């Protein structure tokens, strides 16, 4: 497949997945906000929201709604790497909260869950924020790793 066509397809895929993903824009959409009381659960949910906001900002640039700004894109890349890197620590302890959407199978499949967190961190590291074109090419992989874990370990609303 010619490279240009492949890029267009990838971008289209990225944009459709992004709109399927419950990615809250700023402010977060009401249906994406869970109201958590346990502080551990709160911390892991906050981490996810940070990741989501960063990905959202990148998506605004990819979609041409915001001007591409390499400094802000690099900052969002760092936020994503940190948020994905924090997953194992933030989910390590089994914590139940009535509002949580984390499936209990996380803790009976801990190694698999951790591997998915590692894959997400790796895809965030591979984000290339140096040019809009590179960003477009590397963002879909990040979205895939988010979805990949959610499909298995996060209950739908
Ligand atoms: C290794 C698994 C895993 C990965 C990778 C992952 N998530 Fe999550 N995410 C979860 C789980 C589990 C929950 C549910 C947490 C809860 O409700 O306690 C969640 C919840 C969320 C929420 C909902 C927060 C809220 O307010 O309820 C958002 C938004 C989110 N993730 C975004 C992302 C984005 C964006 C990425 C990728 C950059 C990502 N996640 C990667 C497992 C993951």
């Amino acid at each position: 497949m010619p490279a240009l066509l492949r890029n267009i397809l990838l971008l289209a895929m990225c944009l459709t997945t992004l709109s399927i993903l419950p990615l809250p824009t700023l402010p977060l959409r009401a249906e994406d906000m869970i109201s958590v009381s346990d502080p551990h659960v709160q911390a892991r949910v906050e981490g996810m929201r940070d990741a989501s906001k960063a990905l959202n900002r990148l998506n605004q640039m990819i979609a041409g709604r915001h001007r591409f700004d390499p400094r802000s894109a690099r900052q969002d890349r760092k936020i994503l790497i940190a948020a994905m890197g924090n997953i194992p620590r933030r989910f390590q302890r089994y914590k139940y909260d009535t509002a949580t959407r984390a499936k209990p199978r996380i803790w009976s499949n801990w190694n698999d869950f951790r591997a998915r967190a590692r894959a997400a961190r790796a895809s965030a590291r591979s984000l290339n924020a140096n040019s809009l074109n590179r960003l477009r090419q590397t963002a879909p992989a990040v979205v895939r790793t988010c979805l990949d874990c959610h499909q298995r370990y996060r209950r739908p609303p």
Side-chain angles (χ1 to χ4, degrees), residues 21-22 31-32 34 36 41 44-45 91 94-107 113 146-157:
L21 239 197
E31 64 267 32
D32 287 321
I34 59 173
V36 187
V41 177
R44 73 193 186 203
V45 163
F91 281 81
Y94 172 79
K95 284 283 172 186
Y96 181 75
D97 184 290
T98 45
T100 189
R101 286 167 63 192
K103 292 187 183 167
R105 55 145 64 150
I106 291 174
W107 294 277
F113 182 79
C146 309
L147 279 176
D148 188 46
C149 186
H150 288 176
Q151 269 161 9
R152 204 170 151 76
Y153 294 112
R154 182 189 181 203
R155 263 201 315 272

Side-chain angles (χ1 to χ4, degrees), residues 116-141:
R116 280 168 212 258
R118 260 199 311 273
R121 183 169 183 274
S123 71
R125 281 182 65 95
S126 304
L127 262 181
N128 188 325
N130 295 329
S131 77
L132 182 56
N133 209 25
R134 294 263 163 81
L135 186 62
R136 280 191 176 133
Q137 288 166 348
T138 49

